[in-house]
């Protein structure tokens, strides 16, 4: 069964819109777990636009499932991550002007920096995943960096509309996923997955985990977060 990581950043985005106390991503993580989340995922951005340091520290103390912290390859947030020690970190690219994470981490060009960051986390016994575009060269560079996990960026797939484009993107994910499996890397998918498009990638071989945020939090507005997570879990079963 595919493990579901629920990304609660979007709950913090609503809170930050008013700068107050609600909704609280810590409470949301608890609700997500009651709905069957297998992991809680948050992104501590350098600009702190949604998740705050306080959220991360409280989540570290309260979540019952593994905590997956997304972060940029940047000394400031790496130091925080090493202090908080989540079960897993996912290294992602970050550009301040982007609305959300737009492309995968370019491990091919940034291998030295990724390798150095990976070594620091590995020494602290924190598992390292790299969020990369579904390209065999990126998967190979991920393996060279010492990371043990990759999360293939499904954003292009999620944006594809014409059936031939969708088929092309699914094939890219299949190929990159097969390469990751051959190299002994744990395989995850994430970004832009929703209650419809997930049906087209849930049967890809070797996928062990999906990290999903926006669609689940959006559905939670209507049905509540616990139920929204339950529904996604049913689709992955
Ligand atoms: N995985 C990674 C690495 C991400 O950066 C994000 C977005 O924060 C997600 C998964 C979740 O994407 P979405 O909110 O589109 O489901």
């Amino acid at each position: 069964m595919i493990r579901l990581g629920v990304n609660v950043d979007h709950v913090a985005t609503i809170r930050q819109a008013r700068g107050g106390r609600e909704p609280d991503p810590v409470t949301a993580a608890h609700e997500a777990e009651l709905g069957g989340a297998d992991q809680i995922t948050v992104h501590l951005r350098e600009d702190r636009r949604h998740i705050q340091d306080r959220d991360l520290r409280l989540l570290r103390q309260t979540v019952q499932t593994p905590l997956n912290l997304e972060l940029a390859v940047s000394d400031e947030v790496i130091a925080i991550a090493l202090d908080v020690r989540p079960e897993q970190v996912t290294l992602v690219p970050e550009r301040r002007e982007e609305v959300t994470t737009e492309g995968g981490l370019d491990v091919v060009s940034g291998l030295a920096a990724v390798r150095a960051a990976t070594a620091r986390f590995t020494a602290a016994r924190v598992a390292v995943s790299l969020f990369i575009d579904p390209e065999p060269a990126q998967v190979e560079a991920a393996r060279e960096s010492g990371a043990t996990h990759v999360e293939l960026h499904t954003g292009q797939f999620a944006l594809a509309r014409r059936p031939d484009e969708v088929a092309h993107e699914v094939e890219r994910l299949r190929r990159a996923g097969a390469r990751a499996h051959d190299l002994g890397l744990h395989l995850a998918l994430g970004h832009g997955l929703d209650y419809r498009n997930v049906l087209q990638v849930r049967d890809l071989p070797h996928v062990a985990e999906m990290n999903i945020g926006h669609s689940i939090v959006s559905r939670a507005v209507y049905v509540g977060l616990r139920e929204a997570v339950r529904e996604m879990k049913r689709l992955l079963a």
Side-chain angles (χ1 to χ4, degrees), residues 29-176:
H30 186 58
E31 278 294 313
E33 288 180 331
L34 290 173
D38 300 294
Q39 164 169 295
I40 300 299
T41 297
V42 289
H43 184 176
L44 185 70
R45 292 186 63 105
E46 290 182 273
D47 62 12
R48 304 299 197 274
R49 76 170 61 149
H50 39 55
I51 292 294
Q52 306 297 307
D53 300 54
R54 164 266 185 209
D55 303 329
L56 178 62
R57 291 183 191 278
L58 284 175
L59 286 166
R60 169 67 300 177
Q61 291 169 32
T62 56
V63 294
Q64 308 292 321
T65 56
L67 182 62
N68 173 29
L69 173 61
E70 301 175 357
L71 75 164
V73 184
S74 137
D75 284 337
E76 191 244 348
V77 282
I78 289 176
I80 294 169
L82 285 169
D83 185 37
V84 170
R85 302 253 313 252
E87 278 75 15
Q88 179 176 307
V89 291
T90 300
L91 301 180
V92 301
E94 228 175 83
R95 285 185 296 276
R96 273 166 208 274
E97 64 279 13
E98 71 193 358
V99 176
T100 178
T101 311
E102 279 164 7
L105 188 66
D106 187 352
V107 189
V108 173
S109 315
L111 184 59
V114 174
R115 186 185 274 145
T118 300
R120 292 176 72 188
F121 285 114
T122 305
R125 294 198 305 280
V126 175
V128 178
S129 181
L130 304 181
F131 182 54
I132 55 174
D133 287 333
E135 297 292 340
Q138 294 293 345
V139 174
E140 286 154 18
R143 180 73 185 80
E144 274 181 56
S145 77
T148 50
H149 296 56
V150 288
E151 178 171 333
L152 299 180
H153 193 318
T154 46
Q156 284 296 115
F157 156 74
L159 288 174
R161 284 289 162 267
R162 291 202 329 258
D164 59 320
E165 286 170 357
V166 173
H168 173 73
E169 292 301 330
V170 171
E171 190 50 33
R172 285 180 71 209
L173 291 165
R174 182 191 305 280
R175 281 215 191 118

